[in-house]
């Protein structure tokens, strides 16, 4: 599995205007690891975005990956909400939409609860751009491939978001 300070990569396959490889970091001390590679799975923005309670679109999150926004409750609470709705993983984007370089370390809250699904942190700018593209296209979700092994991709061929410095 992944350890602290390691990155996990995923690629948006659709919509095409954000067909980039994104970088995320795994939660430090809770959540599962990716034991399976998903070549095409839905990345479903949670409704409400902070996912601190019951979801209006929970049926669409079952067997998919949820895109959640930071804030309102702990990272672990969000992960548990997505797990309870049958999500395979959660990607929590920073709520600072201009954050394009600072990764937050997601840690266990003070409760003794656990979560079994993988939880990843995504830069705020990346999460914002994904959500904005979906809204512009009137789409309920993106199609992604996760995790992506970038070690086999030559640097000049990596489709990186133009707003992110690597």
């Amino acid at each position: 599995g992944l350890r602290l300070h390691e990155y996990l990569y995923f690629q948006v396959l659709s919509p095409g205007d954000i067909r980039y490889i994104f970088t995320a970091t795994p939660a430090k001390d809770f959540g599962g690891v990716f034991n399976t590679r998903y070549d095409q799975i839905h990345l479903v923005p949670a409704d409400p975005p902070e996912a601190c309670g019951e979801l209006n679109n929970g049926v669409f999150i079952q067997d998919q990956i949820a895109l959640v926004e930071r804030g309102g409750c702990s990272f672990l609470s969000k992960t548990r909400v997505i797990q309870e709705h049958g999500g395979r993983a959660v990607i929590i984007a920073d709520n600072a939409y201009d954050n394009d370089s600072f990764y937050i370390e997601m840690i266990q809250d003070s409760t003794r609860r656990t979560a079994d699904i993988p939880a990843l942190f995504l830069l705020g700018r990346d999460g914002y751009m994904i959500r904005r593209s979906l809204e512009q296209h009137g789409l309920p979700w993106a199609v992604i491939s996760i995790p992506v092994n970038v070690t086999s991709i030559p640097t000049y061929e990596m489709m990186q978001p133009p707003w992110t410095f690597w």
Side-chain angles (χ1 to χ4, degrees):
L2 294 166
R3 289 178 294 285
L4 183 62
H5 300 302
E6 289 191 21
Y7 296 105
L8 186 137
Y9 302 91
F10 68 94
Q11 181 173 17
V12 172
L13 305 173
S14 171
D17 62 328
I18 54 167
R19 192 177 169 101
Y20 301 117
I21 294 176
F22 293 91
T23 305
T25 56
K28 179 181 177 185
D29 57 4
F30 69 89
V33 296
F34 279 95
N35 295 319
T36 304
R37 182 177 192 277
Y38 301 101
D39 289 321
Q40 291 190 8
I41 191 166
H42 293 161
L43 178 63
V44 182
D47 177 23
E50 291 181 343
C52 291
E54 191 59 35
L55 300 178
N56 299 322
N57 65 339
V59 66
F60 297 112
I61 287 172
Q62 184 161 352
D63 291 325
Q64 306 302 323
I65 296 176
L67 177 62
V68 171
E69 194 168 294
R70 180 182 177 201
C73 60
S74 72
F75 293 119
L76 177 59
S77 292
K78 295 171 186 300
T79 304
R80 288 179 55 85
V81 166
I82 298 307
Q83 180 175 307
E84 289 163 8
H85 283 85
R88 294 194 183 187
V90 60
I91 297 175
I92 302 171
D94 197 354
N95 54 3
Y97 298 150
D98 59 345
N99 177 9
D100 60 5
S101 60
F102 184 70
Y103 289 91
I104 303 292
E105 195 168 80
M106 296 193 310
I107 59 172
Q108 171 75 269
D109 58 19
S110 58
T111 67
R112 293 216 167 116
R113 302 174 301 165
T114 60
D116 300 320
I117 64 171
L120 305 170
F121 182 81
L122 182 66
L123 296 174
R125 173 73 52 88
D126 292 345
Y128 169 77
M129 296 300 276
I130 292 169
R131 283 190 301 273
R132 188 180 85 168
S133 175
L134 294 175
E135 289 168 10
Q136 288 174 341
H137 293 286
L139 297 171
W141 53 68
V143 178
I144 67 170
S145 177
I146 187 168
V148 172
N149 180 356
V150 297
T151 59
S152 62
I153 303 172
T155 306
Y156 64 88
E157 287 184 13
M158 282 195 38
M159 291 293 298
Q160 304 161 348
W163 56 86
T164 303
F165 294 105
W166 288 48

